[in-house]
Amino acid sequence: MSVEKHTAIIKEEASRLGFEYCGISKAEFLEKEAPRFEKWLHQNMHGEMGYMANHHDMRLDPRLLVPGAKSVVSLMFNYFPEEKQNVDAPKVSKYAYGRDYHYVIKDKLKEFLATLNEKIGEVSGRAFVDSAPVLERAWAAKSGLGWIGKNAQLIRPGKGSFFFLAELIIDLELEYDGPIKDYCGKCTRCIDACPTQAIVGPNIVDGSKCISYFTIELEEAIPNAVKGKMDNWMFGCDVCQNVCPWNRFSSPHKETKMQPNPELLTMDKEDWQEITEEVFAKTFSGSPLQRAGFEGIKRNLDFLIS
């Protein structure tokens, strides 16, 4: 089959599996992103996320991560929920309303690779969803799925940014897409709205100042310097996305396996304060909230109310 036919099969399969958008790039060294990423690390904007400095070369060249790689297939999966939390409750980032996305999307990617082997022949490669040294937003932008906004999120014109990103890095030559224009213009709403001033410049987020970092990644005590600046976020933060004008176009996802946990939606401030470790484990089994764990959630709650 031709390169054109292979590309068509991949994009058709992506749509069948529920990925809203699919873009393809040539697997090569990320020349433009390399100095930016190195500067970000040098300025210690990754905080205690030491893993960001690991496998540096692989992050910048997928051919080192997947030997023989020729193409990076970037995919977008909508997670915008139809329902929202109780307004009285400590806030949870929308991506964590339902089942852990790693499980749901990884299963789809496994099926994706299996289907390619059936329809095309032997295709070698690996699937990734926020679980390996892959600069996923850089690849998504390179393939034209959107542009990197001032909040460092990938924004799809007319659709917004509430999407998970995933990749297939495979040894198949394909037709390649190209980047699109940056449509942020002069807007600075995300920069102006960030409660902890973590967006230190256009497209630059100091991860060590981000509320998501404090509530999920940081293992030590949350610094007193951000007391009163957390905007009631208990797990993650959506502020820079919520204020983005492009997210007025967001529409609810249709993935049944990622429907919001009904108990999370109804819990109020008192319910969270009284939750026990046993109830937390039962209620949030298979949830992204397990990343912080019961002790982490209690720490975050105590910091918000103290």
Side-chain angles (χ1 to χ4, degrees), residues 64-99:
L64 300 178
L65 181 62
V66 182
K70 294 180 180 178
S71 300
V72 179
V73 179
S74 294
L75 303 155
M76 296 178 73
F77 193 86
N78 183 16
Y79 69 83
F80 189 75
E82 186 166 10
E83 300 175 272
K84 303 297 187 295
Q85 277 184 276
N86 186 321
V87 294
D88 185 46
K91 301 174 188 176
V92 172
S93 186
K94 295 178 183 64
Y95 85 85
Y97 276 18
R99 182 171 172 76

Side-chain angles (χ1 to χ4, degrees), residues 233-249:
W233 287 97
M234 176 185 67
F235 184 90
C237 178
D238 289 338
V239 170
C240 68
Q241 296 193 85
N242 288 341
V243 301
C244 177
W246 288 100
N247 278 322
R248 70 184 185 274
F249 298 112

Side-chain angles (χ1 to χ4, degrees), residues 8 14 16 33 70 82 121 123 127 130 140 169 178 211 232 258-259 275:
R16 186 188 72 80
E33 287 77 10
K70 294 180 180 178
E82 186 166 10
V123 177
D130 190 28
I169 301 180
I211 291 175
N232 205 31
M258 289 183 60
Q259 289 303 316
I275 194 169

Side-chain angles (χ1 to χ4, degrees), residues 121-189:
E122 185 176 352
V123 177
S124 296
R126 292 175 61 186
F128 302 96
V129 52
D130 190 28
S131 57
V134 178
L135 294 179
E136 55 186 11
R137 279 171 286 187
W139 287 109
K142 192 178 179 68
S143 68
L145 292 184
W147 75 93
I148 304 295
K150 289 190 174 77
N151 60 359
Q153 298 295 312
L154 184 89
I155 304 174
R156 175 87 181 177
K159 295 295 180 180
S161 62
F162 288 105
F163 291 89
F164 295 122
L165 300 178
E167 303 79 37
L168 295 181
I169 301 180
I170 54 179
D171 67 345
L172 194 64
E173 288 189 1
L174 299 165
E175 291 184 324
Y176 301 125
D177 302 299
I180 66 170
K181 180 183 174 182
D182 181 326
Y183 288 98
C184 281
K186 296 180 180 180
C187 178
T188 59
R189 291 189 192 181

